[in-house]
Amino acid sequence: MGDSASAGGRGAMPKASGGAARALPGPKAGAAKQSSKKAKPKKVPFKQWWRGQTRKKKAGMIALWAGVTVVGLILLGLIAGFAYYQSVELPDPNADYTTSTTTIYYRDGTTQLGALSVQNRTPLAYDEMPQTIKDALVAAEDRTFWTNQGISVTGMMRAAINVARGRSLQSGSTLTQQYIKSMYLTSAQTVNRKLKEIVLSVKITNSMSKEQILAGYLNTVYFGRGAYGIQAAAQAYFDIDAKDLSVQQAAVLASLLQGPALYDPADQSNLARLGARYNYVIDGMVTMGTLTQAQGDAYKDHLPDFPPLQTSQTYGGPNGFLIKMVEAELAADGFTSAEIQGGGLQVTTTFDATMQAAAISSAQSFTETAATKAKKPQDPALLHAAIASVGVDTGEVLALYGGPDYVTSSWNWATTPRMTGSTFKAFAFVAGERNGWGLDTSLAGDPIQVNGATIYNDGNEQLGQVDLLTATQKSVNTAFVDLVQRIPDGPNQVIQAAEDAGAPAQDDQSWFAGPTIPLGYASVSPLNMASAYATFANQGTHIPPHVVLEVKDANGTVVYTASPKKQQTIQADICSDLTYALQSVVDAGTGTAVRSLGYPAAGKTGTAALQGKSGVGAAWFVGFTQQISTAVMYVADPPDSPDLAGTADLNPYAPRGYSTFYGSGYPAQTWADYMKQAMKGLPKMNFPAPAHVNAGVGAAPEEEPEPTPTETSTPTVPPTTVTKPPTPTQPPTQPPTQPPTQTPTQPPTEEPTTAPPTTEPPTTNPIPPTST
């Protein structure tokens, strides 16, 4: 029973048929261990895993990661930007707007040349401002002003690109940004200043109306002439109240904001630049719909009339020209008008106080002498002497006389191009030696034909064959025209030499590339001629002339130091030969009036004939020592045509007993008088010896000597060998014994003019020949 119960009980294992035990279905032995290993898969390296992904999956994952990164950066940027926005407080528009006087010094840094102050401001309410200036200002400065949010996205992108490229930041391009920068910030081109400008522009746009921003800008912006705000500007430029401004007058004032020193209509050289900007403003008003097309067409190219410049002690006298030049150079170097006029700058210029006083004295005394001591006394106010003096190895403008009073007449004769006469032959000399000729080259000294016209020397002098050295010394017209015709593309080679030296070609008919170009119809300013001759003295290294040495800000920190580019533009050996030839002009040629200087000197006289009629249009002496290069020019006004300033005949001012106003007369004497003061205390320095470039090339063969006499015949006259034409009678070797206020006791040495005597056919057509 026990056995039976045990066998058939519930706990008994069933038996398989056939007596074998049957196993229940389930996992095999060791299955638990296998399942445990699958739950912990083997780690696969990332590279192996990444290779195993499909291209589509890879692209998707990259896009996802990039999106997450960009969103994260944007969120971080927004958080940082919001925090920065909250930290920058909007200042009181009037609290921080202060100005201080800018002081201009001579080169010693202590002697004051002038001062520029501001605070000439009369605020107006928005409704008191005429619609003309509102429309003109927006057209000139920010045509999206009424719709933008105070910032320019394109301007910000441009600034970011500049930063990435390592360049300076751009200034704010919207009117609001300009207002913010001038009112509350500085002009420092830094990222921090730019960020503040952007944030403040947005804040002001959100807290002030567009009308308030425009009114604030028009009440504070600087227009030049010491005028801050539209009311002061209207009075300074047109002598009227702002409410009376016409469309044309408003367009002019809006144009000035680009840079008052560069667009002031009182300076004749600014008129073309002002006209272009004025037309831009008029076109903008038409585009914006504030003027009709018909109105725009009627106003374009028609600047309004400008009343005489009001008297100002700032610019009074001859030094007013210097101050204006300083303003213009500072503007060109990146200083804003607000900084120049009211930024408290301390500007050290290149001008020497002693030399400037000497330039004023020499120019004014000889002008008075020439006018009052002429055969028939003339009006001194119609005769203009200009002096420009430059440091040879620095390019620094040491002294400049452009006229007696900037306020009376703002025409700066020292920066005005006029016909250069024979001073231009120096550039032909350079072109000649560059193209294979030299000091010994034999050239035509007799009248020659060019394009159907005959070229003569002064007084129709005929010299046979002359070498280049003699041609320079005696200023032989025919020889230099002959030289240019021998040079391949000669006229353009002469122009290239002039530009290389520092005499930039003018875009006018006077620079016509014909074979007569060395005779000096081409117009150059005295300042640029002084700079060009300084290049010769500096062994071919050109340094652009400049008038600012250093600028300190209101805190005394140096923010600008002049560093003009020095460039070897002419071969040094050619300059040595040219200097040697120009020394001969002073020693025994047409420039002997300056031998009294007492220093080694080289230079060239120039007497430019009026085109199409008899008379002298300009008379020059340009010369240099090893330290200083100076150009002197005389021109005259016609008494009945003020619009033709500097185009009258100089001959009425010639010394008594002489019919021609030569460069070897008053210009050379003025040069010597000034240079005696300028060179005081400087060491005597000799010029380099001539290099004799292309020595012997083109030289005239020497004549054969007479046969040796035989024993049975004794000559009564010794044989002679002639290698050059006879030297003309030498000019006076002594300088005038009287002071500048007296008529010279010796007549000026005569020199060739760029035109023939009136009894001969003209040397060239009034209009340069149309073929070479």
Side-chain angles (χ1 to χ4, degrees):
M1 288 288 298
D3 293 341
S4 173
S6 173
R10 294 175 59 183
M13 293 291 291
K15 295 182 179 178
S17 59
R22 185 176 64 178
L24 293 174
K28 296 180 181 179
K33 290 182 180 180
Q34 291 178 0
S35 175
S36 173
K37 286 181 182 178
K38 287 182 182 177
K40 294 181 182 179
K42 218 169 174 189
K43 288 186 181 179
V44 179
F46 178 81
K47 287 185 179 178
Q48 184 179 340
W49 174 81
W50 181 254
R51 289 195 194 105
Q53 306 305 310
T54 64
R55 210 177 267 180
K56 187 173 181 181
K57 284 185 177 180
K58 288 180 180 178
M61 284 185 278
I62 291 172
L64 177 62
W65 293 338
V68 171
T69 300
V70 169
V71 170
L73 291 174
I74 290 174
L75 288 174
L76 287 174
L78 289 174
I79 293 170
F82 180 78
Y84 186 79
Y85 182 90
Q86 291 295 106
S87 69
V88 177
E89 295 183 359
L90 188 66
D92 181 349
N94 297 313
D96 295 331
Y97 194 69
T98 59
T99 61
S100 55
T101 300
T102 288
T103 307
I104 302 174
Y105 299 98
Y106 284 101
R107 66 184 296 107
D108 61 11
T110 58
T111 306
Q112 186 171 322
L113 171 62
L116 302 171
S117 59
V118 292
Q119 300 302 334
N120 177 17
R121 183 189 301 108
T122 305
L124 298 177
Y126 180 82
D127 292 338
E128 294 176 304
M129 298 176 179
Q131 193 63 38
T132 54
I133 191 59
K134 298 170 187 174
D135 294 338
L137 174 64
V138 172
E141 297 297 311
D142 183 8
R143 295 178 185 178
T144 66
F145 170 74
W146 294 108
T147 58
N148 66 43
Q149 293 301 306
I151 59 174
S152 167
V153 176
T154 57
M156 292 166 61
M157 293 175 63
R158 187 167 58 247
I161 291 172
N162 281 338
V163 170
R165 292 178 176 177
R167 300 176 183 173
S168 62
L169 288 167
Q170 295 283 337
S171 298
S173 57
T174 69
L175 191 150
T176 306
Q177 285 176 273
Q178 293 178 45
Y179 176 52
I180 288 295
K181 185 180 71 173
S182 63
M183 281 286 289
Y184 311 116
L185 305 175
T186 69
S187 295
Q189 300 298 309
T190 63
V191 173
N192 185 51
R193 199 275 300 162
K194 191 70 178 179
L195 288 174
K196 281 187 176 181
E197 175 187 300
I198 293 169
V199 169
L200 289 176
S201 296
V202 174
K203 280 197 168 187
I204 278 189
T205 301
N206 292 334
S207 62
M208 296 173 63
S209 69
K210 289 287 186 178
E211 289 78 6
Q212 288 175 309
I213 294 172
L214 188 61
Y217 185 89
L218 281 171
N219 273 328
T220 56
V221 69
Y222 181 66
F223 288 87
R225 299 190 186 179
Y228 270 71
I230 189 59
Q231 175 66 10
Q235 293 173 341
Y237 286 90
F238 298 106
D239 199 23
I240 60 175
D241 289 328
K243 63 183 178 60
D244 299 320
L245 286 170
S246 68
V247 170
Q248 291 168 287
Q249 292 168 334
V252 165
L253 294 181
S255 300
L256 291 170
L257 298 178
Q258 189 81 358
L262 301 176
Y263 291 83
D264 191 333
D267 189 337
Q268 297 291 323
S269 64
N270 288 343
L271 290 179
R273 190 184 298 113
L274 174 63
R277 182 69 179 172
Y278 167 88
N279 284 343
Y280 169 82
V281 176
I282 294 295
D283 286 340
M285 295 175 76
V286 172
T287 300
M288 297 184 68
T290 53
L291 286 180
T292 66
Q293 186 63 56
Q295 289 172 321
D297 292 341
Y299 292 136
K300 275 190 74 172
D301 297 319
H302 291 89
L303 291 170
D305 293 329
F306 299 100
L309 188 65
Q310 297 178 17
T311 301
S312 169
Q313 293 302 314
T314 299
Y315 303 108
N319 287 349
F321 296 96
L322 310 188
I323 296 173
K324 276 295 181 181
M325 291 176 69
V326 170
E327 287 185 66
E329 189 165 302
L330 288 173
D333 287 331
F335 290 89
T336 67
S337 297
E339 289 173 318
I340 295 169
Q341 293 290 332
L345 303 178
Q346 300 169 54
V347 183
T348 301
T349 70
T350 62
F351 302 114
D352 183 278
T354 300
M355 295 182 188
Q356 181 63 18
I360 294 171
S361 174
S362 296
Q364 293 184 348
S365 61
F366 277 99
T367 299
E368 183 73 20
T369 297
T372 58
K373 301 297 183 180
K375 182 178 180 180
K376 180 181 178 182
Q378 305 293 320
D379 183 357
L382 299 178
L383 181 64
H384 306 294
I387 299 177
S389 193
V390 175
V392 165
D393 59 354
T394 63
E396 296 167 3
V397 183
L398 304 173
L400 182 137
Y401 182 82
D405 183 21
Y406 179 85
V407 174
T408 302
S409 173
S410 61
W411 202 304
N412 188 341
W413 289 107
T415 59
T416 298
R418 281 294 182 267
M419 293 186 296
T420 50
S422 293
T423 61
F424 207 83
K425 288 173 181 171
F427 308 127
F429 184 106
V430 172
E433 287 211 345
R434 279 178 168 178
N435 286 272
W437 307 112
L439 291 167
D440 307 320
T441 299
S442 182
L443 302 164
D446 293 339
I448 58 175
Q449 292 288 319
V450 175
N451 299 327
T454 303
I455 305 300
Y456 294 89
N457 296 314
D458 185 54
N460 197 19
E461 188 175 22
Q462 300 185 34
L463 302 172
Q465 291 295 112
V466 295
D467 57 33
L468 182 56
L469 175 62
T470 303
T472 305
Q473 180 188 100
K474 304 301 179 187
S475 200
V476 182
N477 291 338
T478 56
F480 277 93
V481 174
D482 183 22
L483 176 65
V484 172
Q485 291 188 106
R486 296 189 190 188
I487 301 170
D489 194 23
N492 284 313
Q493 290 281 336
V494 176
I495 291 174
Q496 184 63 57
E499 293 191 314
D500 289 344
Q506 305 297 309
D507 186 19
D508 60 27
Q509 194 179 42
S510 76
W511 280 75
F512 176 81
T516 58
I517 193 166
L519 304 187
Y521 286 118
S523 295
V524 184
S525 73
L527 179 56
N528 284 331
M529 285 302 285
S531 176
Y533 273 54
T535 301
F536 304 148
N538 201 26
Q539 290 293 284
T541 298
H542 175 61
I543 307 173
H546 57 285
V547 300
V548 176
L549 277 180
E550 182 185 81
V551 181
K552 295 179 181 178
D553 64 16
N555 297 319
T557 303
V558 176
V559 294
Y560 173 84
T561 302
S563 56
K565 181 180 179 181
K566 299 182 179 182
Q567 187 176 4
Q568 187 79 32
T569 56
I570 299 176
Q571 300 88 325
D573 53 358
I574 291 178
C575 289
S576 294
D577 278 359
L578 176 56
T579 298
Y580 177 66
L582 294 176
Q583 278 184 277
S584 76
V585 173
V586 173
D587 293 338
T590 59
T592 55
V594 308
R595 287 191 306 186
S596 61
L597 177 62
Y599 285 82
K604 188 73 188 74
T605 53
T607 308
L610 290 170
Q611 294 196 47
K613 55 185 177 181
S614 63
V616 171
W620 293 73
F621 187 83
V622 187
F624 53 86
T625 62
Q626 276 286 60
Q627 297 100 324
I628 301 173
S629 175
T630 299
V632 174
M633 178 189 77
Y634 277 78
V635 292
D637 294 344
D640 52 355
S641 302
D643 293 339
L644 300 177
T647 63
D649 184 12
L650 281 168
N651 283 340
Y653 300 88
R656 291 172 186 168
Y658 293 87
S659 59
T660 302
F661 193 102
Y662 284 112
S664 57
Y666 287 120
Q669 293 169 31
T670 304
W671 186 94
D673 189 66
Y674 160 74
M675 286 291 284
K676 286 177 184 177
Q677 297 299 315
M679 291 296 297
K680 259 186 182 177
L682 295 178
K684 291 185 179 181
M685 298 175 64
N686 292 320
F687 295 113
H692 293 287
V693 176
N694 309 315
V697 175
E702 293 189 358
E703 292 187 7
E704 300 245 350
E706 295 282 342
T708 303
T710 63
E711 293 181 0
T712 57
S713 64
T714 302
T716 57
V717 179
T720 56
T721 300
V722 180
T723 58
K724 294 182 181 178
T727 304
T729 302
Q730 292 293 326
T733 58
Q734 297 297 323
T737 58
Q738 298 295 325
T741 55
Q742 300 296 321
T743 304
T745 57
Q746 295 286 351
T749 304
E750 295 201 0
E751 59 167 327
T753 62
T754 58
T758 56
T759 56
E760 299 289 348
T763 57
T764 182
N765 297 323
I767 297 177
T770 56
S771 63
T772 58

